[in-house]
Amino acid sequence: MGNRAGVASYTARMRKSAHRARIALRRSGVDYFRGEGSDWVAFAGLLLTIPAITWGTLTNPVWCSPPALVLPIVAGGLLLRPASLLGLYATAAGALIVESVVLGPYTQGPARVTPGTVLVVAACGLFGLLIAQFRARVGVPWRRGGTMLFDLRERIRVQSALPRLPQGWHREMALRPAGGQSFSGDFVVAARTNGGRTLEVLLTDVSGKGMDAGSRALLLSGAFGGLLGSLPPHAFLPAANGYLLRQDWDEGFATSIHLVLDLESGDYELLSAGHLPALQLHAGSGRWEEKSGEGPLLGVYDGAEFHPVKGSLLPGDVLMLFTDGLVESADRDIAEGIDRLTGEADRYVASGFEGAAWHLIEACAKDVNDDRALLLISRR
């Protein structure tokens, strides 16, 4: 009985120790790939591959040639910090010396350490070190950079989500960045205010396009989202203009159009900061009407005034807000682009504009190298 108890106790201790080791290794791996932990695991793994590659080269240099040492060097440039990378390079240099001594002079056969081999390994090491130093300067590890960009893109998408509207209303939005990129200089922020009775929507077009404007769009969407609903509608654009001026960007202007819609009566106000006019379809006549307030670009000068235009959405009416990338291009002016947009939009009158936003961008500005955004609000 005593021996069995001792064996069971020993087995239990071993299982507990193995469990602790697994937990510690897993935590270390999670911290590493989040960019918060040490790189000793990756460093140790890459360090062990160098003698393995060296042994393969010495035993069979035809299938495992000396330039194979660039594999851990390239991986180290992507995974390790500069200090650890120098240690890996020193080990690789030692392996090259061992291979050249054991295999003999490169003049005795092709499977030798030639001057070209040394140059290739050194060049890969230099590029890896430059990449590692750049990552260290930015402060975002390679293994975390893609996740961070994905999080930023999703944050913009969530901030641009339109709130649910009461029965009898339909809303949808489509946004297409320039060049198929993930980031856009066009963004939307929206909120239901006044106890849910009022819908406030802001469509903004930041100067620039794609990745160049994406960082500014992220900052502005967060700031404008905090202001929207916290200020009276007529005070929003002046506050946004002052915020943009305080940023003191070299390319810091933007256009915006601010919709304030009463969801019970259908009455609305549009305030514009240098933005293109909105388009309203009157169900009774079947005609499109341009609706635009008056106001300068955001971020140009202080003390700007913004004058609204009023309107009303009756049952069957549609209101479209859009950015210039949808209607303007090098081979056509804005008036021609608006005519094309309204002509394409007439096809969706019978269907109630269900899914029309995405299709309108496809039809009017599929291959335009500019950010495009379209917002549709209709009253059934």
Side-chain angles (χ1 to χ4, degrees), residues 152-163 173 187-191 202 217-226:
L152 292 177
R153 187 190 68 181
E154 290 302 299
R155 188 176 297 275
I156 294 177
R157 186 186 64 82
V158 170
Q159 288 177 346
S160 298
L162 300 175
M173 183 194 69
F187 67 88
V188 172
V189 290
L202 182 79
L218 177 64
L219 178 62
L220 291 182
S221 64
F224 289 0

Side-chain angles (χ1 to χ4, degrees), residues 9-361:
S9 177
Y10 176 76
T11 304
R13 288 197 301 269
M14 291 297 294
R15 289 178 178 175
K16 188 177 294 184
S17 299
H19 178 70
R20 290 199 193 102
R22 286 197 302 269
I23 294 297
L25 185 61
R26 185 163 55 189
R27 286 178 179 174
S28 177
V30 169
D31 289 341
Y32 173 72
F33 280 98
R34 291 176 59 189
E36 300 170 358
S38 173
D39 61 352
W40 68 267
V41 175
F43 177 65
L46 292 173
L47 205 61
L48 292 175
T49 62
I50 292 180
I53 292 175
T54 303
W55 177 82
T57 301
L58 296 178
T59 56
N60 195 343
V62 175
W63 287 96
C64 185
S65 61
L69 285 172
V70 301
L71 298 177
I73 288 177
V74 171
L78 296 174
L79 298 175
L80 301 181
R81 296 180 174 89
S84 302
L85 198 58
L86 292 176
L88 184 71
Y89 289 175
T91 307
L96 272 178
I97 294 173
V98 171
E99 290 176 358
S100 63
V101 171
V102 175
L103 294 176
Y106 68 90
T107 57
Q108 294 183 1
R112 300 290 188 271
V113 179
T114 66
T117 301
V118 177
L119 289 177
V120 169
V121 174
C124 291
L126 177 61
F127 290 139
L129 185 60
L130 292 176
I131 293 173
Q133 288 179 340
F134 176 77
R135 288 200 326 269
R137 185 180 305 171
V138 174
V140 179
W142 169 79
R143 56 195 178 275
R144 182 63 175 165
T147 304
M148 185 192 72
L149 292 176
F150 175 79
D151 290 342
L152 292 177
R153 187 190 68 181
E154 290 302 299
R155 188 176 297 275
I156 294 177
R157 186 186 64 82
V158 170
Q159 288 177 346
S160 298
L162 300 175
R164 282 182 168 272
L165 300 185
Q167 188 175 4
W169 291 93
H170 170 71
R171 86 286 184 268
E172 62 179 79
M173 183 194 69
L175 191 149
R176 186 77 61 83
Q181 301 181 26
S182 298
F183 295 90
S184 172
D186 298 346
F187 67 88
V188 172
V189 290
R192 289 183 63 176
T193 59
N194 194 21
R197 174 177 175 173
T198 302
L199 172 68
E200 290 193 49
V201 180
L202 182 79
L203 174 60
T204 300
D205 183 359
V206 178
S207 57
K209 58 188 176 183
M211 292 289 291
D212 295 334
S215 58
R216 297 196 299 274
L218 177 64
L219 178 62
L220 291 182
S221 64
F224 289 0
L227 292 174
L228 195 71
S230 301
L231 296 173
H234 288 197
F236 176 83
L237 285 181
N241 182 58
Y243 177 82
L244 200 55
L245 285 170
R246 290 192 297 272
Q247 305 312 304
D248 196 25
W249 289 329
D250 293 335
E251 192 179 2
F253 65 89
T255 68
S256 289
I257 186 166
H258 182 197
L259 170 67
V260 184
L261 173 64
D262 190 320
L263 295 172
E264 294 184 1
S265 66
D267 296 334
Y268 67 84
E269 283 189 343
L270 277 173
L271 298 101
S272 177
H275 202 84
L276 294 176
L279 294 174
Q280 180 178 352
L281 173 65
H282 297 279
S285 63
R287 295 183 178 179
W288 291 91
E289 178 188 5
E290 294 186 4
K291 307 284 288 189
S292 178
E294 296 181 1
L297 300 170
L298 296 178
V300 176
Y301 62 87
D302 199 8
E305 296 183 356
F306 305 91
H307 303 287
V309 62
K310 296 184 179 181
S312 182
L313 288 177
L314 301 177
D317 287 1
V318 179
L319 189 67
M320 287 198 303
L321 310 179
F322 50 91
T323 57
D324 58 359
L326 187 60
V327 295
E328 185 180 19
S329 65
D331 57 349
R332 71 183 182 198
D333 59 16
I334 293 179
E336 182 182 352
I338 290 177
D339 289 341
R340 181 177 179 181
L341 175 61
T342 55
E344 292 289 341
D346 286 336
R347 301 181 179 183
Y348 296 91
V349 173
S351 62
F353 286 86
E354 292 283 348
W358 186 86
H359 290 288
L360 286 175
I361 292 181

